[in-house]
Amino acid sequence: MDKNEEKQREEEREQVVSPWEVSSSGKIDYDKLIDKFGCQRLDQSLVDRVQRLTGRPPHVFLRRGVFFAHRDLNDILDAYEKGEKFYLYTGRGPSSEALHLGHLVPFMFTKYLQDAFKVPLVIQLTDDEKCMWKNLSVEESQRLARENAKDIIACGFDVTKTFIFSDFDYVGGAFYKNMVKVAKCVTYNKVVGIFGFTGEDHIGKVSFPPVQEMIYKAVPSFPSSFPHLFSGKDHLRCLIPCAIDQDPYFRMTRDVAPRIGYHKPALIESSFFPALQGETGKMSASDPNSAIYVTDSAKAIKNKINKYAFSGGQESVELHRKLGANLEVDIPVKYLSFFLEDDAELEHIKKEYGAGGMLTGEVKQRLAKVLTELVERHQVARAAVTDEMVDAFMAVRPLPNMFD
């Protein structure tokens, strides 16, 4: 093995990104992920094109590169420009009572896409998967799915354009037929190539959990899986907003789609929302102090930020005034880049903090205010979501206004 190969293998060991694990010895190198997965960088020309086609300012997650990669987004926009519609598909694995801010990111962005392009949306709740992986009862998995649905609905989705479904409730009929079609197109070698299984992996890894989940995530991108919505519209394209660790699932889907008569689904992929302790991967559900939850009080948000948010500031005020903050590792600045709407204010904070004019405490105080306002708005919206509203979103019914 030459030195370049040895270095490459060492880097791969230091950075692991898969549907089951995201870890790194330092910051995630997204350029390497683009090269590894074979997707494309979402550049400014695409952001400008989205703005031109929708007549709306680009979402903060677009203009600041939170959603930074894609597959075939140009094809979706080409078709849309010709008057062809598409639908959106995203999902959630309901394994906890409450969502954290990282969970909200894809739904906030999907809400923008639905409003901007005026298209329907399907949201999958993989309660069966979590029942298997988390050792939950069927009943508890279904309960968590409905609780998570309330948080999703609170993001403001249009009930006349949105269908939320749980696997336990919906899988069968046309959906199951597409699952079988996909399964017959996927060889064992293909699965090994996508997910990196080895001869040392136990049989559980290559049986129900990953393979079945892979198929579950594939078939919602085929319009015939939803005959009550898209009957006779098998040509309809699908756009999937997701985090980049989900890319391996949809590489398989894109390979299968043309073989069973559908367009390849397009993807628009985000970076990871980092833990409070530092930008080395995703937040851990087992550590409540690694994240801000939508159920947190203003006091809890302030305490978490002050105690746990990793700072790029210097060890002393004197040194900080002289050297300024390291913005590359500073979590408060990273969080503000996600959720502070005002571009001019964000640039001012970066400039002053990076030059030592602002102290860590001042930046954390501003972040606490921004996140408290966001979480309190969500809590008010969530409290207004009734069981009847959940039933309406999850009812198997036509969406008469889905393309209006």
Side-chain angles (χ1 to χ4, degrees):
M1 183 187 302
D2 64 29
K3 289 184 178 180
N4 288 335
E5 289 177 336
E6 187 175 350
K7 182 181 178 182
Q8 183 178 351
R9 290 195 178 184
E10 180 62 31
E11 288 172 348
E12 288 174 353
R13 283 193 292 270
E14 291 175 356
Q15 175 171 296
V16 178
V17 175
S18 74
W20 306 286
E21 180 183 1
V22 176
S23 63
S24 175
S25 59
K27 287 184 65 175
I28 299 290
D29 189 328
Y30 290 106
D31 288 328
K32 286 182 181 176
L33 279 185
I34 287 175
D35 290 340
K36 178 182 177 181
F37 289 163
C39 45
Q40 295 81 45
R41 172 70 67 172
L42 203 163
D43 59 22
Q44 187 61 43
S45 66
L46 272 175
V47 176
D48 293 341
R49 191 178 183 200
V50 169
Q51 180 173 5
R52 178 173 59 81
L53 289 176
T54 64
R56 290 180 177 236
H59 193 277
V60 63
F61 295 160
L62 261 187
R63 66 179 189 261
R64 294 185 188 155
V66 172
F67 279 79
F68 72 102
H70 74 98
R71 289 182 182 273
D72 291 347
L73 181 59
N74 266 320
D75 290 350
I76 287 278
L77 298 181
D78 287 345
Y80 185 81
E81 196 162 21
K82 294 173 185 174
E84 298 177 25
K85 296 293 188 176
F86 62 91
Y87 72 100
L88 298 163
Y89 154 46
T90 193
R92 159 82 184 140
S95 60
S96 60
E97 288 278 351
L99 308 187
H100 57 57
L101 294 185
H103 294 139
L104 279 191
V105 166
F107 293 110
M108 293 170 70
F109 187 64
T110 302
K111 163 77 163 65
Y112 154 78
L113 291 174
Q114 183 182 61
D115 291 347
F117 287 100
K118 299 180 175 60
V119 292
L121 161 68
V122 295
I123 299 174
Q124 181 181 30
L125 301 174
T126 55
D127 46 4
D128 56 343
E129 171 216 350
K130 294 306 177 184
C131 179
M132 284 286 188
W133 277 105
K134 299 295 183 179
N135 197 28
L136 300 170
S137 68
V138 170
E139 293 74 19
E140 178 65 1
S141 299
Q142 290 181 299
R143 186 188 72 82
L144 290 175
R146 286 184 65 87
E147 290 303 306
N148 283 192
K150 292 178 181 179
D151 278 308
I152 293 167
I153 292 167
C155 293
F157 292 107
D158 183 347
V159 69
T160 69
K161 292 182 170 66
T162 305
F163 174 51
I164 301 175
F165 70 98
S166 84
D167 285 347
F168 274 132
D169 290 338
Y170 188 73
V171 172
F175 196 98
Y176 185 69
K177 289 177 184 176
N178 277 340
M179 286 177 59
V180 172
K181 290 178 184 177
V182 172
K184 290 181 70 176
C185 290
V186 181
T187 66
Y188 175 75
N189 285 339
K190 184 74 173 179
V191 173
V192 169
I194 291 174
F195 296 106
F197 298 137
T198 71
E200 302 303 313
D201 286 316
H202 61 74
I203 192 66
K205 280 192 173 183
V206 294
S207 58
F208 177 84
V211 176
Q212 200 77 348
E213 183 186 358
M214 177 173 64
I215 295 170
Y216 278 159
K217 289 189 175 182
V219 297
S221 63
F222 306 144
S224 66
S225 299
F226 307 100
H228 65 287
L229 300 179
F230 307 130
S231 179
K233 294 183 172 66
D234 287 358
H235 66 285
L236 202 61
R237 296 177 185 269
C238 178
L239 175 62
I240 305 170
C242 62
I244 196 166
D245 61 329
Q246 301 301 298
D247 190 271
Y249 284 123
F250 296 115
R251 289 207 306 276
M252 183 280 298
T253 307
R254 285 167 52 82
D255 177 65
V256 168
R259 297 163 61 186
I260 57 175
Y262 301 108
H263 289 294
K264 293 181 178 182
L267 308 180
I268 183 166
E269 301 175 318
S270 72
S271 56
F272 304 119
F273 190 73
L276 284 166
Q277 287 82 354
E279 194 176 2
T280 58
K282 296 193 296 185
M283 287 164 282
S284 170
S286 62
D287 181 5
N289 293 320
S290 71
I292 304 295
Y293 285 81
V294 296
T295 51
D296 283 344
S297 65
K299 181 179 179 181
I301 292 170
K302 180 180 178 181
N303 288 343
K304 283 184 178 182
I305 290 170
N306 286 337
K307 188 172 182 179
Y308 299 109
F310 187 84
S311 170
Q314 304 299 329
E315 294 180 359
S316 68
V317 172
E318 293 77 14
L319 197 60
H320 184 83
R321 294 294 190 196
K322 180 180 179 181
L323 300 178
N326 179 355
L327 303 184
E328 289 298 312
V329 300
D330 193 89
I331 290 298
V333 166
K334 182 72 173 179
Y335 278 29
L336 285 170
S337 296
F338 275 77
F339 296 119
L340 180 59
E341 286 282 346
D342 190 323
D343 291 337
E345 183 184 359
L346 179 64
E347 288 309 307
H348 173 76
I349 290 171
K350 287 181 174 180
K351 181 178 178 181
E352 288 297 309
Y353 189 38
M358 285 184 76
L359 299 176
T360 297
E362 295 175 274
V363 178
K364 288 188 173 184
Q365 183 179 26
R366 182 66 180 114
L367 175 63
K369 186 173 188 299
V370 169
L371 295 190
T372 297
E373 290 174 353
L374 185 157
V375 168
E376 288 181 346
R377 284 196 305 270
H378 182 86
Q379 290 172 351
V380 169
R382 212 273 194 188
V385 178
T386 64
D387 285 329
E388 291 74 20
M389 290 172 66
V390 176
D391 290 340
F393 274 91
M394 299 185 75
V396 178
R397 83 288 186 201
L399 299 177
N401 302 321
M402 64 182 178
F403 288 120
D404 293 346

